[in-house]
Amino acid sequence: MSALALRRLSRTLQYGLLAAFFVFVATPMAVIVVFSFDANRFPTIPWGGFSLVWHRAAFEDPMIREAFVNSVLVGLGTAVASTVIGFSAAYLDFRHSFIGKRLFVFTVAIPPAVPATILGMAMLAFVSRIGLFGRLETIVACHTAVASSFAMALIRLRLDEFGRELEPAAWNLGASPAAALRHVVLPFCRPALIAAFFLSAAVSFDEFMIAWFVGGVHETLPVRILNQLQGQVNPKINAIGTVVLTISVVLVFLARRFTSLRPGRPVDGDDGDRP
Amino acid sequence: MTLPFVSLRGVDKRYPGHHAVRGIDLEIEAGEFVAIMGPSGCGKSTTLRLLAGLEEPTGGDILIGGENQSGIPAHLRDTPMVWQSLALFPFLNVVENVAFPLRMKRLGAGERRRRSLEWLDRMGLAGLAEREISQLSGGQRQRVALARALVTEPSILLLDEPLSALDAHLRVRMQTELSRLHKQLGITFVYVTHAQSEAFALADRIVIMNEGRIRQVGRPQDVYRAPANPFVAEFMGMNNLLRGVRRGGPAGSATIETDLGAFEVPSAVALAEDAAAVFVVAADRVSVSTDGAAPTAAASLAGTVLGLEFVGSTQTIFVETGGGREFRIQKQQHEIEALDLVPGRPVRLSWDPRHTWLLPETD
C-alpha cells in the first residue's frame, strides 16, 4: 500500500472515530435536549411540537427546586473550598521542601483515581461514624476531597511558570511574605484560580455517587434525576437533564477559557490598586 | 576616619553539604562602587543575598549604616537588588512594576504614580509607562528593573550580574548608563559579576572571591598588575605563572630557580632562602623572536609554537616551553606578522625582569 493510501485510510479512520463519538456520546445528549421541548408525553417520532410544559412542570416540582438549590450550594461550596485547598497544596509543593512531600502530593492526587462507588461507600462509613451523615456541608466536604485534586493540578501547572526569583524579589522590594503572597503570587495565579473554581463547581454539579451515599435526605440534582427515574418515567427528567447539561457545559467552557490564557495580565486587568 | 557604610565581619554561610561563604571580612565606604568577582560557585551571589537579607548568615555580622542587620528580614532592609533574571512582575505593566516598592510602603496612589513616572522619565522610558513587560526590549526591561530598584531612593544598590542577559553592544551602553547613575546618585553600588570587563570599567574597587573566601581586594589596576596569589593571577587571565624556590639574589630582587632555569625577579616581599615562590610574567610583556639569539639583559626561554588564536586584532600565541608547559603571549597582529609563526616553529621568548611580579602568597 502506498504512503498516500495509508494516509487516506488514517484520515478516514479519524473521521470515523469522530463520527462514532458524536453518535454515542453527543447524540443521547441531543436527544434529551430535543425531547425536553416536545409536547408529547412519551419521546416518540414524530415530534409533538415545541412546548415548555415539561420545563415548567420541572420548575414547579418543589423537590426538583430544592435539589437544584442544593446542587448550586454544594457546587459553590466545593468550588470555594477546592480552590483554597488546591492553591494551598500547590503553593506548599512549589515553595517548600519537607519530609514526606512526595507522599503528600501523591495523596492529594489520588481521589479521582478511586472508583466513585468505593469512594462513596468509604465516605459514608466515615461520616456516619463521626455523626455528620446527611448534611449539605458533608456533601461539600466529600466533593472537595475529589475536586481539590483537579484544582491543585491546575494551579501547580501555573506555578511552574512562576519565576523562582519573583517572590524573593518582592521581599527585597519591601513586601512582607504575606504581602508578596497577596500582591505577587495570587495575581500571577489568578487565571488558574478562576479555572480551578469553575472546574471544581462542574465536578461537584455532575457528581452523583458520593452525593447519593452521604447526602441522606438532601438530594442534589443528579440524585433527584435518578430517584425520579426509579419512580415513573416523566419528560420532566429531560427538562432537568437539559438544565444540568447546560450548566455543566458552561462551567467547563469557563474553566477552559481561563486555562488557555497565556501568562500575562489577569483578564480583568485591574487589581484595584491602579492609581 | 569615617565609619565604613557596609561592614562584613567574619560572615559565614553554610548550607547542608556546602560551605558557600567562609568567614569573610569586607568594608565598603558610602558611595563606593564595589564589584565582587569570581568563578561560578565562589560565593559572590550568596554574599549579595546575605547583604539583602534573603539569606541569614550562619556566623559573623553584617552592618549597614552602622546597624547590625542580623535578624532583620529582607523586606525591612532598604537594600534593593537588580536580579540577573530582572524578576519583573509579568502581571503588572511598566509603571505598576516601578511603583511596586512604593505600594508596599503604603504611599498614596497619586504619589506612587508621580514618583514612578519621574523615574521612568529619568531612565529614558517616558511614554512606555502603560506598556506590558512582554512588549519591551531587553534594554528597556533592564531600565525598568533599575527604576524599580531605585524608586525608593535607597542608599545602597545591589546588582547580581545584571547585564549578563544582554548582547555585547547593549552591555557596553548599559555600563555607561550604570556609571552615570552611580555618579549622579552618589550611593553605594555592590555589583556581582564574572565579567572582568564590566568590573574593570565600573568599579572603584574589586573583590575577588574563590571557594567562599576573599582572595584579594583592591583597585582594578592594582589587582591586575599586582595579583596577590596564583589564583588571582590566573583568574585575571593572560598571566604566565612560574613556580620554583628562592636561591639568593642581589638586594631588592630574588633569584628563583625553576625547572626551566633561574630567573631574576624584583622582590617586594621578604622571602626566606629556599622558600617556595611563584612569579608572574604577563602575556603582553613577552617578546617573541625567531632568530634564536637571546637578547642581552633579558630573561629568556626557548620553545616551540603550539598554535595561535585570534581575538579581534590581538593574537594569542601558545608556546610549549619544555616539560609540556604552555606559555601564553599576547601580541598585536601587526607586531608578529613578519615572524610567520606556524605550529612547530622554534621560537625564543624573552622579557624584561623588571616587568615580572613575585607573588606575595603562593597558595
Side-chain angles (χ1 to χ4, degrees), chain A residues 162 165-177 179-180 183-185 187-188 264-266 269-271 273-275, chain B residues 49 52 54 74-75 77 79-81 83 85 87-93 96 100-101 103-104 109 112-113 130 132 148-149:
Chain A
F162 186 71
E165 284 175 347
L166 289 187
E167 223 180 341
W171 303 334
N172 179 251
L173 294 167
S176 67
H183 293 292
V184 175
V185 184
F188 183 86
R265 293 179 69 77
D270 200 322
D271 59 355
D273 278 294
R274 228 203 273 235
Chain B
R49 294 173 65 89
L54 295 166
H75 67 277
R77 300 188 187 189
T79 51
M81 180 154 146
W83 302 68
S85 68
L88 295 171
F89 303 124
F91 46 88
L92 298 177
N93 67 20
E96 288 166 338
F100 185 86
R103 201 168 117 199
M104 293 303 111
R112 292 200 308 246
R113 190 173 172 85
E130 310 299 331
E132 301 303 325
R148 187 180 68 170

Side-chain angles (χ1 to χ4, degrees), chain B residues 22-295:
Chain B
R22 298 169 188 247
I24 61 171
D25 295 294
L26 180 66
E27 309 217 308
I28 301 171
E29 299 294 326
E32 209 179 358
F33 196 134
V34 168
I36 306 180
M37 292 178 67
S40 50
C42 71
K44 56 189 192 296
S45 288
T46 307
T47 304
L48 206 65
R49 294 173 65 89
L50 287 166
L51 281 173
L54 295 166
E55 307 278 354
E56 270 295 303
T58 41
D61 289 306
I62 296 173
L63 282 79
I64 300 178
E67 202 179 323
N68 196 324
Q69 300 291 304
S70 95
I72 301 179
H75 67 277
L76 298 179
R77 300 188 187 189
D78 205 7
T79 51
M81 180 154 146
V82 178
W83 302 68
Q84 187 172 5
S85 68
L86 301 183
L88 295 171
F89 303 124
F91 46 88
L92 298 177
N93 67 20
V94 168
V95 66
E96 288 166 338
N97 259 283
V98 177
F100 185 86
L102 302 175
R103 201 168 117 199
M104 293 303 111
K105 282 187 188 281
R106 303 186 177 280
L107 260 69
E111 176 74 1
R112 292 200 308 246
R113 190 173 172 85
R114 191 185 61 73
R115 282 173 64 176
S116 306
L117 289 177
E118 200 179 289
W119 265 98
L120 285 175
D121 195 30
R122 197 160 172 180
M123 296 305 298
L125 294 168
L128 298 180
E130 310 299 331
R131 290 275 180 92
E132 301 303 325
I133 299 302
S134 56
Q135 294 172 296
L136 302 184
S137 70
Q140 289 168 337
R141 285 178 203 201
Q142 188 76 52
R143 284 161 217 260
V144 174
L146 274 167
R148 187 180 68 170
L150 291 167
V151 72
T152 55
E153 275 150 40
S155 41
I156 183 166
L157 180 68
L158 309 177
L159 303 108
D160 187 8
E161 310 215 16
L163 307 184
S164 58
L166 302 179
D167 61 63
H169 175 68
L170 212 52
R171 206 176 303 150
V172 174
R173 275 183 45 192
M174 282 310 294
Q175 273 180 29
T176 319
E177 192 119 342
L178 279 173
S179 195
R180 180 182 62 82
L181 263 175
H182 177 249
K183 283 199 186 74
Q184 280 179 2
L185 299 171
I187 65 171
T188 310
F189 276 35
V190 182
Y191 189 100
V192 161
T193 180
H194 63 262
Q196 233 181 81
S197 60
E198 286 172 25
F200 275 57
L202 293 166
D204 300 322
R205 236 170 11 131
I206 60 177
V207 176
I208 301 201
M209 287 184 74
N210 187 38
E211 292 177 344
R213 289 196 178 87
I214 292 181
R215 300 310 310 270
Q216 192 168 358
V217 181
R219 295 189 306 154
Q221 58 271 40
D222 294 345
V223 174
Y224 184 70
R225 276 298 167 209
N229 48 59
F231 172 77
V232 173
E234 268 175 344
F235 182 74
M236 289 285 115
M238 289 307 150
N239 280 323
N240 297 292
L241 268 62
L242 288 169
R243 287 168 195 274
V245 286
R246 178 179 182 165
R247 301 268 191 244
S253 82
T255 304
I256 310 295
E257 194 180 292
T258 74
D259 53 2
L260 297 175
F263 298 95
E264 274 308 275
V265 178
S267 170
V269 282
L271 201 61
E273 191 70 18
D274 296 332
V278 186
F279 70 96
V280 171
V281 186
D284 56 349
R285 297 281 198 181
V286 182
S287 319
V288 189
S289 64
T290 46
D291 51 18

Side-chain angles (χ1 to χ4, degrees), chain A residues 10 16 23-25 42 45 67 80 95 119 125 130 147 184 190 200 219 221-222 229 234 236 248 264 266 273-274:
Chain A
S10 155
V23 169
F24 289 101
V25 178
F42 295 100
I45 291 173
V80 171
R95 172 59 57 197
L119 208 58
I130 60 171
V184 175
R190 172 142 48 189
S200 309
E219 292 179 329
L221 264 188
L229 271 174
N234 185 312
K236 274 199 278 187
S248 298
D273 278 294
R274 228 203 273 235

